[in-house]
Amino acid sequence: MNYFSRLTDIVTCNLSQLLKDETDPVQALEKIIEEMDQGIAGARRSVTAARLAVDRMEGEISERRTQIMAWQNRAKTELQGGNESGARLALARKTEVEDLVAGLQQQHRAAQNTFEQLQTTERALESKKAEAVRKLASLRAGYATDETEDFPQEGGISLQQDRNERINADLDALRKELLAG
């Protein structure tokens, strides 16, 4: 039996609800965690692809900005040489490339937003898996779970580092707020 058909199903699932009708909750939770692992692997691939798309866009924009400067310099050179029509042509090309850059920048913002959304989804999936792993440990130990219990969390090191950095930043902000108050 598949428990999830979409990644959002993992993020929004209620593990207790999924397990309540299962005859073997431990086995069911192991299967759920396997499916979560598959979802997380897919999310990681998507995040990597989105990051590469953002990087490619940035490279393209940089290349086009170099072209804008080249057309600007060519226009200046043509005008200095008394060739106004050549300068106009170079400025027309410069304008075309500027328009292209504007479109690329819009695509870059969209690609960046997609990347950030995928990263957020990946983090949410990791969090839900950590919850499932804690619940599995509780079931194996033979006692009911308390969602606030402090079991070691599984997940990527970078995810945990990111969370630790966010927690430290929140603590620093709270300290500053207390000192100011």
Side-chain angles (χ1 to χ4, degrees):
M1 168 181 173
N2 282 343
Y3 289 91
F4 310 113
S5 60
R6 301 179 324 243
L7 293 179
T8 54
D9 291 345
I10 295 173
V11 175
T12 61
C13 78
N14 180 327
L15 292 172
S16 297
Q17 213 44 32
L18 285 174
L19 296 175
K20 77 176 187 171
D21 295 327
E22 294 292 337
T23 56
D24 185 353
V26 170
Q27 184 180 14
L29 201 46
E30 288 171 345
K31 173 72 171 144
I32 288 169
I33 291 170
E34 283 178 30
E35 288 185 38
M36 287 177 169
D37 283 336
Q38 292 169 5
I40 290 167
R44 284 184 181 142
R45 286 189 300 273
S46 295
V47 167
T48 299
R51 177 76 244 170
L52 290 172
V54 168
D55 291 346
R56 277 192 308 272
M57 264 314 154
E58 289 170 355
E60 179 76 13
I61 290 169
S62 177
E63 183 180 315
R64 298 302 178 172
R65 285 184 175 148
T66 300
Q67 288 178 348
I68 290 169
M69 295 303 297
W71 285 116
Q72 176 72 23
N73 290 336
R74 182 160 180 188
K76 186 187 284 185
T77 301
E78 293 291 339
L79 194 57
Q80 285 172 340
N83 184 359
E84 188 172 324
S85 65
R88 283 182 181 280
L89 181 61
L91 290 173
R93 296 286 164 83
K94 175 185 166 253
T95 302
E96 289 172 2
V97 177
E98 287 171 337
D99 291 341
L100 178 58
V101 167
L104 289 171
Q105 287 173 325
Q106 190 174 29
Q107 289 179 0
H108 177 264
R109 283 190 298 276
Q112 185 67 36
N113 287 338
T114 299
F115 169 69
E116 290 168 4
Q117 288 170 350
L118 289 169
Q119 266 190 320
T120 300
T121 299
E122 178 186 15
R123 287 184 183 128
L125 293 169
E126 289 280 0
S127 293
K128 199 60 164 190
K129 180 188 170 200
E131 176 189 342
V133 168
R134 286 191 304 273
K135 188 176 267 314
L136 180 60
S138 292
L139 289 172
R140 284 183 175 156
Y143 55 89
T145 62
D146 175 356
E147 296 301 325
T148 63
E149 287 186 50
D150 190 19
F151 285 98
Q153 292 194 10
E154 291 188 11
I157 291 172
S158 63
L159 174 69
Q160 193 60 41
Q161 288 172 337
D162 181 56
R163 286 186 178 147
N164 287 338
E165 289 172 9
R166 289 177 14 214
I167 290 168
N168 289 335
D170 288 346
L171 279 173
D172 288 344
L174 286 173
R175 284 186 187 110
K176 288 178 185 175
E177 183 179 321
L178 289 172
L179 288 174

